[in-house]
Amino acid sequence: MQRVSFGLTTDYIELNQLLKLSGFCDSGGAGKMMVASGIVSVDGKKELRKTCKIRAGQIVMIGDVRIDVAAIGAN
């Protein structure tokens, strides 16, 4: 399993933007399509809300890739 860490500098990030900024897609629109396809899960549950709020401490999975979201100077 590949692990990726993402440093969150605000209270939350929308899921499609997290996928874009983590390098898993080229745009927010492509991120929305990934979420809509059903391959993304948040905290172990399939997530179909494209712009759901991801906060520090949550884990996002795309196939066998795990994104750990951590706060770094959150407001």
Side-chain angles (χ1 to χ4, degrees):
M1 173 187 314
Q2 179 184 353
R3 292 181 80 144
V4 176
S5 293
F6 183 84
L8 190 61
T9 58
T10 58
D11 291 334
Y12 67 89
I13 186 169
E14 292 180 349
L15 180 56
N16 64 312
Q17 293 299 313
L18 173 67
L19 298 175
K20 177 179 105 174
L21 295 175
S22 296
F24 291 99
C25 58
D26 294 331
S27 67
K32 287 181 179 183
M33 289 176 28
M34 285 179 72
V35 175
S37 73
I39 64 169
V40 179
S41 65
V42 176
D43 294 334
K45 297 179 183 176
K46 185 190 297 188
E47 183 58 73
L48 297 174
R49 296 175 297 158
K50 301 167 188 89
T51 59
C52 77
K53 295 176 180 178
I54 303 298
R55 300 179 190 280
Q58 290 190 289
I59 298 168
V60 177
M61 296 285 297
I62 308 163
D64 65 345
V65 178
R66 172 179 167 147
I67 304 172
D68 294 307
V69 181
I72 54 170
N75 295 335

